[in-house]
Amino acid sequence: MTSPGIAVSVDRVVKRYGSVTALHGVSLDIRENEFFTLLGPSGCGKTTLLRAIAGFEDVTEGHIRLKGKDLVDQPPFKRPVNTVFQQYALFPHMSVTENVMFGLLRKGWNRQEAERRVRDVLELVQLSDFAARKPGQLSGGQQQRVALARALAPRPEVLLLDEPLSALDLKLRQAVRMELKAIQRETGIAFIFVTHDQEEALTMSDRIAVMSSGHVQQVGPPREIYEAPINRFVADFIGETNLLDVTVEAVNNGMAKVLLPGNRSFECPAAAVDARGPGHLSVRPERISICAEAAGDLIATVTGHTYLGTDNQLHVKLVDGEVMSIRLQNTESTLLPKAGDVIGLNLEADAARLLAD
Ligand code: ADP
Ligand code: MG
């Protein structure tokens, strides 16, 4: 059974290709009307999972349910899901209208209803003025929107998108992100969006599932994934972070007491439970401030800095040789310590986390 409000339920799905296991028992609930993102490096199993939901791949074990109905034995064309692929493969000799209409007629829509539906979806993706053009007469971003209109036209209950923005250049990609999110809101259906781009995931998603090597590592809203990563993989993959070797003295009720390099003690939230001994602390570079040596949680020697426009990145080395980076906002009054200076570093307690591994 699937609970109300769940659009797609992925239940302990295993997928093997011969000796390669692409998915190791993945479980996820994707909510109705949610912009849900599968994020992870190339080869982690994102496309395999999307294709399994679409029905293009049989699963080796497990179940996929759409609004409570088991999909595993349903062929792709019977599933109320549709996919936008990385290569959108529009028919070059057909107009925008014909490209979008084609699938509807094949599904048995009558022409009059199909024409009305095509007009509506072209309006939704703001292509009404381009309806008569051929794909070759459109920009990359417009072609992408035709592919989106085509996938939305048959009113799928869930839309799957496999790296749909990766063919666009950076500027366009950034503009299309917001459009895509707005279209998802307007249609009110769940979008399952695949990307390896963490910035794309952070800016567009209601929730993100971070994957690596066929496993889901963490699921949560963007802020939680960024600010409260559970393990080293997630902390490192999402944004920039400093991973410090620490000695864990105690973990109680989600709070850890650790010894930092240099042996000062420090308390912070913990993703790890019941750990003692060596551990890893994640601290985001923008959540560290500099102070006098005696007042710091850490003592560091400055090795240099990088000018980044809005920020300066300060590079430092700790007593145990670990290197860290610190982001300091670039205000006119920013006085940067120089290479060779010994400084103190303060970690914001709620911004540092003891990781699970
Ligand atoms: P992603 O989309 O995250 O880059 P994929 O889902 O495409 O990753 O691939 C996951 C793993 O499964 C990879 O190791 C890939 O080589 C393997 N794989 C994918 N499709 C096949 C296939 N048809 N045959 C064999 N191995 C495959
Ligand atoms: Mg892929």
Side-chain angles (χ1 to χ4, degrees):
M1 264 300 293
T2 307
S3 343
I6 301 301
V8 177
S9 162
V10 176
D11 185 13
R12 288 163 290 177
V13 165
V14 173
K15 175 65 187 178
R16 288 190 204 97
Y17 296 104
S19 62
V20 177
T21 304
L23 299 172
H24 291 265
V26 168
S27 293
L28 285 172
D29 280 338
I30 292 122
R31 299 171 188 153
E32 285 177 22
N33 194 16
E34 179 170 51
F35 200 114
F36 190 92
T37 298
L38 302 172
L39 171 69
S42 176
C44 73
K46 305 180 297 294
T47 294
T48 302
L49 181 54
L50 213 63
R51 289 175 57 82
I53 295 170
F56 300 128
E57 296 287 355
D58 293 330
V59 301
T60 313
E61 288 171 30
H63 295 274
I64 296 172
R65 298 186 190 89
L66 196 126
K67 302 198 175 156
K69 276 213 300 284
D70 204 316
L71 285 183
V72 157
D73 292 320
Q74 275 197 40
F77 68 91
K78 285 213 169 148
R79 298 184 182 201
V81 300
N82 226 344
T83 310
V84 180
F85 298 99
Q86 188 172 352
Q87 259 69 39
Y88 6 99
L90 301 174
F91 296 116
H93 58 287
M94 291 185 186
S95 70
V96 167
T97 293
E98 287 162 344
N99 263 284
V100 178
M101 184 113 73
F102 183 79
L104 294 181
L105 297 178
R106 258 211 341 195
K107 276 183 194 285
W109 287 51
N110 79 45
R111 181 161 280 276
Q112 213 178 1
E113 274 174 46
E115 278 171 1
R116 198 173 320 130
R117 179 62 182 154
V118 171
R119 270 199 303 277
D120 288 349
V121 282
L122 289 183
E123 194 168 320
L124 176 70
V125 302
Q126 296 178 6
L127 280 179
S128 302
D129 295 344
F130 301 85
R133 295 217 193 160
K134 302 267 166 69
Q137 299 167 310
L138 299 173
S139 70
Q142 290 164 339
Q143 291 182 32
Q144 210 281 326
R145 268 146 51 195
V146 179
L148 185 63
R150 182 180 57 183
L152 287 169
R155 299 187 190 284
E157 292 182 48
V158 176
L159 190 71
L160 311 176
L161 304 103
D162 196 353
E163 312 226 11
L165 309 186
S166 59
L168 309 177
D169 63 48
L170 181 65
K171 265 259 149 53
L172 192 55
R173 210 152 69 217
Q174 288 170 338
V176 173
R177 277 180 198 161
M178 291 304 117
E179 281 177 25
L180 196 57
K181 172 105 183 175
I183 289 168
Q184 185 269 328
R185 283 280 170 270
E186 222 165 304
T187 56
I189 64 172
F191 276 28
I192 307 179
F193 180 87
V194 162
T195 184
H196 62 270
D197 181 331
Q198 44 117 358
E199 194 182 297
E200 217 165 84
L202 289 173
T203 54
M204 298 171 81
S205 316
D206 294 315
R207 288 190 307 150
I208 300 170
V210 182
M211 295 179 67
S212 80
S213 321
H215 295 274
V216 172
Q217 299 289 341
Q218 186 170 1
V219 183
R223 180 180 288 276
E224 192 176 301
I225 297 279
Y226 183 79
E227 294 189 6
I230 63 161
N231 59 28
R232 275 200 277 175
F233 178 83
V234 177
D236 211 25
F237 190 73
I238 312 292
E240 241 186 285
T241 202
N242 294 291
L243 292 172
L244 295 182
D245 291 330
V246 297
T247 305
V248 183
E249 296 194 303
V251 179
N252 278 315
N253 296 325
M255 290 297 289
K257 207 172 157 210
V258 304
L259 287 180
L260 296 172
N263 276 336
R264 297 204 182 161
S265 90
F266 183 72
E267 282 186 46
C268 66
V273 282
D274 194 30
R276 269 169 161 270
H280 295 278
L281 200 69
S282 164
V283 197
R284 297 290 181 190
E286 70 276 18
R287 306 298 290 269
I288 302 170
S289 56
I290 58 178
C291 59
E293 183 186 336
D297 297 309
L298 293 163
I299 295 166
T301 305
V302 176
T303 55
H305 82 273
T306 309
Y307 175 73
L308 298 169
T310 56
D311 296 307
N312 274 296
Q313 188 166 30
L314 196 64
H315 309 287
V316 304
K317 197 176 239 178
L318 305 181
V319 282
D320 66 349
E322 286 187 81
V323 296
M324 289 180 73
S325 74
I326 299 148
R327 286 231 180 188
L328 300 173
Q329 230 174 44
N330 199 5
T331 56
E332 252 181 284
S333 60
T334 308
L335 263 184
L336 285 175
K338 296 180 298 297
D341 286 355
V342 178
I343 58 173
L345 302 177
N346 275 129
L347 314 182
E348 290 179 37
D350 66 334
R353 276 177 76 78
L354 181 67
L355 300 174
D357 56 55

